[in-house]
Amino acid sequence: MSEYKLDYLQELEAESIYIMREVAAQFEKPALLFSGGKDSITLVHLAKKAFAPGRIPFPLVHIDTGHNFPEALEFRDQLAKEVAATLIVRNVEDTIRERKLTEPKGKFASRNWLQTYTLLDTIEEFSFDACIGGARRDEEKARAKERIFSVRDEFGQWNPKLQRPELWNIFNGRIHKGENVRVFPISNWTELDVWNYIREEQIDLPSIYFSHERDLIEHEGQLIASSSFIRLDPEDVVIREKVRYRTVGDMTCTAAVRSTADNINDVINEIKATRISERGETRIDDKVTEAAMEDRKKNGYF
């Protein structure tokens, strides 16, 4: 009898599906954090597989900063409808108004730091005890520290020095009242793994991930989309180039890369050739300080 062996993508998929099912089994009110980006789209696809033929047993939650790419928002709504999932959207703009928060000023005034307040308010509003996210360890050094089941205290904060061991894929979801857990089912995947899986599974993505023409300004070597969310200075020159996005965050903090890759095979070839991580190349908000991501995560960020 021949022994059946999983290839590496099947092994990653199996691990992620196992984690999804552990979340459903161990927690009472989980949710999947969904932005319309490639990683959260992959999570939705994995959740569909994990619970087929039934529906995904938890809602999709998007914390909308108001600065999103329209392509991602359109895809978010379309996919939620296709999979018949409950979509919960909460707006950072509402939080700014209700809490009387000071909105950042400047050329690229990002609301990324403020969305933590909205996320924590949403967790409290719906009593979510687990939030599934699409973070991966290869993205950024702070994310490389985090466990797959990452406990947040009653204030939503993360302590990188106080994490639970995860041995032999045993995930401990026990929490005290008021605490919650962030769960990262694709934590062990790389950017290339995600793209190979998307190709293998023929998963649709927003057009923004493939080469297209866009109006941009070049700032400190990075290409930022020209939009109503950024402040154009007199010396700024709007250019039009063929670009694509490796990661999709806010229009105020996500840079494009020059690219002619208009199909998935060409995108994969570009990723194979690069030596810079997707966030390292394209996310302005990660460059505010040396520990910008870790500081945000300690305060309750995704």
Side-chain angles (χ1 to χ4, degrees):
M1 182 182 295
S2 62
E3 183 181 354
Y4 178 74
K5 292 185 179 180
L6 299 178
D7 68 23
Y8 88 100
L9 283 179
Q10 290 173 318
E11 290 178 356
L12 288 173
E13 178 191 70
E15 178 187 56
S16 299
I17 286 174
Y18 167 70
I19 292 167
M20 291 275 193
R21 291 172 176 166
E22 281 294 298
V23 172
Q26 293 194 43
F27 298 97
E28 294 182 6
K29 294 198 71 176
L32 192 154
L33 302 177
F34 182 67
S35 64
K38 71 180 188 309
D39 297 311
S40 59
I41 291 168
T42 299
L43 287 180
V44 171
H45 183 82
L46 290 164
K48 283 173 58 183
K49 281 197 160 189
F51 303 107
R55 292 171 57 177
I56 298 174
F58 33 72
L60 311 182
V61 175
H62 183 212
I63 305 303
D64 187 348
T65 63
H67 293 167
N68 299 99
F69 287 91
E71 297 95 328
L73 294 180
E74 289 168 12
F75 197 93
R76 175 201 72 186
D77 296 340
Q78 172 192 326
L79 184 60
K81 187 175 181 180
E82 284 179 5
V83 300
T86 300
L87 176 63
I88 297 170
V89 179
R90 289 296 179 268
N91 298 293
V92 174
E93 197 162 338
D94 293 337
T95 306
I96 292 171
R97 185 179 62 255
E98 291 164 7
R99 285 176 170 260
K100 296 181 173 57
L101 300 175
T102 301
E103 187 155 4
K105 303 290 191 296
K107 189 175 186 66
F108 305 109
S110 173
R111 290 174 173 172
N112 254 15
W113 287 81
L114 298 181
Q115 63 184 315
T116 297
Y117 293 100
T118 311
L119 174 62
L120 296 180
D121 287 348
T122 305
I123 289 171
E124 183 177 2
E125 177 185 355
F126 292 95
S127 301
F128 293 135
D129 52 3
C131 293
I132 301 167
R136 308 186 321 269
R137 289 189 174 119
D138 75 320
E139 288 182 281
E140 201 273 342
K141 58 190 176 185
R143 286 183 165 169
K145 297 180 180 180
E146 200 154 27
R147 300 291 190 263
I148 291 174
F149 272 31
S150 183
V151 177
R152 300 300 203 270
D153 65 21
E154 64 270 27
F155 303 107
Q157 297 179 331
W158 172 61
N159 185 349
K161 296 180 180 178
L162 187 63
Q163 298 192 78
R164 296 173 177 177
E166 289 181 341
L167 307 174
W168 307 292
N169 285 340
I170 297 174
F171 303 111
N172 179 4
R174 294 181 181 177
I175 54 176
H176 298 293
K177 184 176 177 60
E179 295 177 337
N180 65 85
V181 174
R182 307 291 166 80
V183 181
F184 305 110
I186 60 172
S187 190
N188 292 329
W189 298 42
T190 66
E191 180 187 15
L192 188 57
D193 293 335
V194 172
W195 277 100
N196 280 327
Y197 185 74
I198 287 167
R199 178 171 62 182
E200 182 74 20
E201 295 290 304
Q202 299 182 3
I203 300 171
D204 290 332
L205 292 178
S207 59
I208 199 169
Y209 282 106
F210 302 97
S211 180
H212 60 283
E213 287 194 348
R214 188 177 287 270
D215 289 338
L216 311 134
I217 63 167
E218 189 159 1
H219 178 76
E220 296 181 353
Q222 292 187 304
L223 298 171
I224 314 298
S226 176
S227 73
S228 60
F229 307 132
I230 66 171
R231 187 191 71 211
L232 289 178
D233 294 323
E235 63 271 19
D236 287 326
V237 178
V238 177
I239 58 177
R240 191 165 183 83
E241 295 211 25
K242 278 194 168 184
V243 297
R244 69 176 185 86
Y245 286 85
R246 291 179 66 186
T247 180
V248 176
D250 281 358
M251 296 185 78
T252 55
C253 64
T254 309
V257 294
R258 289 183 175 90
S259 175
T260 58
D262 59 3
N263 63 80
I264 196 164
N265 290 323
D266 287 350
V267 169
I268 287 173
N269 287 334
E270 281 191 357
I271 294 168
K272 287 178 178 177
T274 188
R275 292 294 179 267
I276 306 173
S277 71
E278 60 197 286
R279 292 190 73 97
E281 183 175 22
T282 65
R283 292 301 288 266
I284 298 171
D285 49 334
D286 288 351
K287 297 177 172 61
V288 176
T289 68
E290 184 68 21
M293 173 62 80
E294 184 162 328
D295 290 340
R296 277 181 286 161
K297 292 179 80 65
K298 286 178 180 178
N299 290 325
Y301 188 70
F302 299 165

